[in-house]
């Protein structure tokens, strides 16, 4: 299975075993209109709606709501605080639905988890884009632990007999103890967390290992929207995304209305061969209802060894249900979802690039040469919904269309993170170019669109892109087969403009009420099929062919 909840992809080109990635957040992304100036009435409405979702403990929906709100009002600290708090609740449920996390914590000693926490602090001190404040580092962990003490998932596992007054008393003692404590070094942060773990075990009986892990995850998961702790399964999925293949069914899904909606079926996958279609809903996995499952919990049920089988109860949009038995196997994920000639007379070609992974440059070369043989004289590159991927791959793709000059530059806290990537004239395609983007085009996709814009190499059509302008390193840890994703630098366009919270503005703005469905793009039938694509075709036909 392939999940959209973890789109971050890493590369193998960063020092000290770090892996460089530039993908968007794994959270669900919805259409939004970005506004820089905060508007008090609108912000109050957003906070009110978010609070309603929090009270109902609908953490996934609340997180998506606050994520969109922060994108609209990036300077509004109240929204950012609610986003961070909601993410702590969401991430806790996600961790404890992850079999690899639950399995690993039962095997770890207190010494193991303190060593793990120490490794994370070393990585943060060495690589994080901002200088760590060690008092703040511990505060973030304390917030996470307090959230755990309010979540039934954590309490039922570790503290089934504890009552509210006892927990409130402990929280007060914890704050009174930590408030005046001086924490100015990494060692003092480690010692403080060890002290809290021992105190919690004495006062409440909660395992010290679980406390340390909450401090660890609270730190990594609230540094910024893109840094996070990676469980063993999540780390393996990152590596699978790097390679562009994985073992599973070959579907992208999301939890919706008490079932699992199939967002996309990967061509040639076991799911496609077994008869699953985009728009279908999974009602049960091996007889277990998906009614109350999150996308992550369902993903655990769908995962399995290569060659094993899973039974799915599926219902179509027409409400016809069926039972399917599908065998898991290795799935190759194409980075190009569709490539065809849209207008043979004008030579307008269309190519949809869905991600930037290790195979993308090779796949793109093959698609471009095929389109060239079929009569391509103009090209539309569709990056809508593209969450990003490898920095080095984004550079390679831009280099196919830009002859010379800066492609992207990165700047971090240390000099080793400062780098400028430039184009080389050899092997450059001179075909007129139109690039389609939307609010979900992020990271590496923005590097491509921004470079094309700044070099005046093509026309950008659509709506403002996501606005993710930071680079993440994937750092494996020496304990529990886990890892962390850390923001190590920010990246900038060829003219030095930031992407973070700004995105790429289109040359031709096209507002649409809804995005086109996933999957291959049909040939245009009328202007209502896909207004963005229609505008892109019109822009392409107006371009002047190079001499």
């Amino acid at each position: 299975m392939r999940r959209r909840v973890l789109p971050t992809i890493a590369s193998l080109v960063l020092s000290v075993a770090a892996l460089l990635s530039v993908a968007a957040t794994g959270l669900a992304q919805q259409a939004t209109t970005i506004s820089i100036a905060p508007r008090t009435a609108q912000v109050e409405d957003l906070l009110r709606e978010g609070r309603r979702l929090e009270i109902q403990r609908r953490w996934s929906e609340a997180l998506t709501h606050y994520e969109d709100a922060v994108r609209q009002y990036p300077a509004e600290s109240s929204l950012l605080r609610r986003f961070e708090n909601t993410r702590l609740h969401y991430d806790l449920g996600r961790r404890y639905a992850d079999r690899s996390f639950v399995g690993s914590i039962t095997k770890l000693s207190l010494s193991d988890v303190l060593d793990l926490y120490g490794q994370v602090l070393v990585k943060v001190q060495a690589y994080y884009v901002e200088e760590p404040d060690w008092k703040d580092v511990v505060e973030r962990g304390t917030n996470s632990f307090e959230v755990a003490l309010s979540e039934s998932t954590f309490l039922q596992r570790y503290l089934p007999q504890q009552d509210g007054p006892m927990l409130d008393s402990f929280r007060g003692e914890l704050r009174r103890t930590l408030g005046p404590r001086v924490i100015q070094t990494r060692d003092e942060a480690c010692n403080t967390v060890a002290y809290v773990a021992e105190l919690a075990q004495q006062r409440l009986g909660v395992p010290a290992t679980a406390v340390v892990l909450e401090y660890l995850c609270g730190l990594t998961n609230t540094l910024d929207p893109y840094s996070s702790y990676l469980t063993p399964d999540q780390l393996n999925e990152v590596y699978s995304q790097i390679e562009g293949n994985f073992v599973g069914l070959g579907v992208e899904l999301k939890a919706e209305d008490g079932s699992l909606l199939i967002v996309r079926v990967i061509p040639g996958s076991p799911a496609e061969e077994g008869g699953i279609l985009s728009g279908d809903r999974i009602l049960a996995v091996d007889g277990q209802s998906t009614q109350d499952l999150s996308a992550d919990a369902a993903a655990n049920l769908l995962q399995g060894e290569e060659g094993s089988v899973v039974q799915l109860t599926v219902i179509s949009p027409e409400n016809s249900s069926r039972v399917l038995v599908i065998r898991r196997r290795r799935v190759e994920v194409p980075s190009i979802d569709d490539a065809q000639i849209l207008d043979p007379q004008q030579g307008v070609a269309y190519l949809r690039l869905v991600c930037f992974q290790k195979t993308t440059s090779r796949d793109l070369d093959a698609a471009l040469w095929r389109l060239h043989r079929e009569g391509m004289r103009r090209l539309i590159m569709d990056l809508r919904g593209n969450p990003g991927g490898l920095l080095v791959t984004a550079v390679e793709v831009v280099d196919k269309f830009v002859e010379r000059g800066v492609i992207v530059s990165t700047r971090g806290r240390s000099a080793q993170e400062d780098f400028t990537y430039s184009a080389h004239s050899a092997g450059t395609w001179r075909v007129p170019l139109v690039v389609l983007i939307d609010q979900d085009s992020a990271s590496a996709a923005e590097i491509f669109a921004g470079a094309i814009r700044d070099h005046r190499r093509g026309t950008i059509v659509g709506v403002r892109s996501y606005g993710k302008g930071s680079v993440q390193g994937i750092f494996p840890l020496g304990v529990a087969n886990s890892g962390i994703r850390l923001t190590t630098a920010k990246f900038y366009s060829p003219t030095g403009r930031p992407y973070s919270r700004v995105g790429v503005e289109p040359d031709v703005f096209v507002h649409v009420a809804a995005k086109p469905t996933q999957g291959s793009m049909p040939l245009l039938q009328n202007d209502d099929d896909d207004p963005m694509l229609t505008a892109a075709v019109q822009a392409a036909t107006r371009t002047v062919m190079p001499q």
Side-chain angles (χ1 to χ4, degrees), residues 266-443:
I266 294 174
S269 67
E272 183 185 59
E273 295 169 359
I276 293 181
L277 304 172
S278 296
D280 284 347
R281 293 178 182 272
I282 300 176
L283 302 181
V285 179
D286 287 331
Q288 180 174 340
S289 172
T290 61
Q291 176 71 33
D292 298 317
L293 293 182
S294 66
D296 286 286
N300 288 330
L301 294 179
L302 293 175
Q303 289 174 347
E305 297 294 326
E306 186 170 9
S308 61
V309 298
V310 61
Q311 184 185 84
L312 305 177
T313 303
V314 177
I315 188 169
S316 70
E318 295 78 26
N319 293 321
S320 60
S321 62
R322 58 200 189 279
V323 177
L324 305 174
V325 177
I326 301 176
R327 188 175 300 276
R328 301 176 179 94
R329 62 172 169 79
R330 187 159 295 279
V331 178
E332 297 294 329
V333 184
S335 53
I336 295 173
D337 197 45
D338 191 15
Q340 58 177 302
I341 300 294
L342 287 183
D343 184 341
Q345 183 176 359
Q346 296 289 334
V348 178
Y350 169 88
L351 187 150
R352 182 168 184 259
L353 191 62
V354 298
C355 62
F356 290 80
Q357 59 192 27
K358 287 181 70 174
T359 63
T360 298
S361 182
R362 179 196 67 199
D363 295 345
L364 182 58
D365 282 339
L368 288 173
W369 281 111
R370 177 173 67 80
L371 291 171
H372 174 72
R373 291 190 296 269
E374 294 175 359
M376 175 180 69
R377 300 197 304 277
R378 299 169 172 87
L379 175 64
I380 297 170
M381 290 272 286
D382 192 346
L383 301 185
R384 288 176 294 177
N386 186 316
L390 302 177
L391 172 61
V392 66
T393 300
V395 171
E396 291 171 349
V397 173
V398 173
D399 202 9
K400 297 180 190 299
F401 298 97
V402 173
E403 289 190 5
R404 62 183 60 86
V406 173
I407 292 174
V408 66
S409 59
T410 62
R411 303 174 201 163
R413 181 161 54 90
S414 62
Q416 67 183 18
E417 305 296 342
D418 296 345
F419 199 81
T420 298
Y421 298 84
S422 298
H424 307 85
S425 58
T428 301
W429 288 84
R430 298 182 65 205
V431 59
L433 189 62
V434 175
V435 180
L436 271 170
I437 60 173
D438 68 3
Q439 67 283 341
D440 293 331
S441 303
S443 195

Side-chain angles (χ1 to χ4, degrees), residues 92-93 96-97 148 151-158:
L92 183 139
Y96 279 93
E151 280 292 329
S152 60
T153 299
F154 188 89
L155 294 175
Q156 289 173 6
R157 183 177 183 86
Y158 298 116

Side-chain angles (χ1 to χ4, degrees), residues 491-530:
F491 58 84
Y492 299 82
S493 78
T495 57
R497 286 186 285 188
Y499 291 99
S500 183
R501 299 183 178 180
V502 176
V504 177
E505 285 281 4
D507 301 306
V508 179
F509 178 83
V510 183
H511 177 73
V512 293
K515 294 185 295 183
T517 57
Q518 297 277 355
S520 297
M521 190 73 63
L523 293 173
L524 288 175
Q525 300 298 320
N526 58 65
D527 290 345
D528 295 329
D529 287 341
D530 186 345

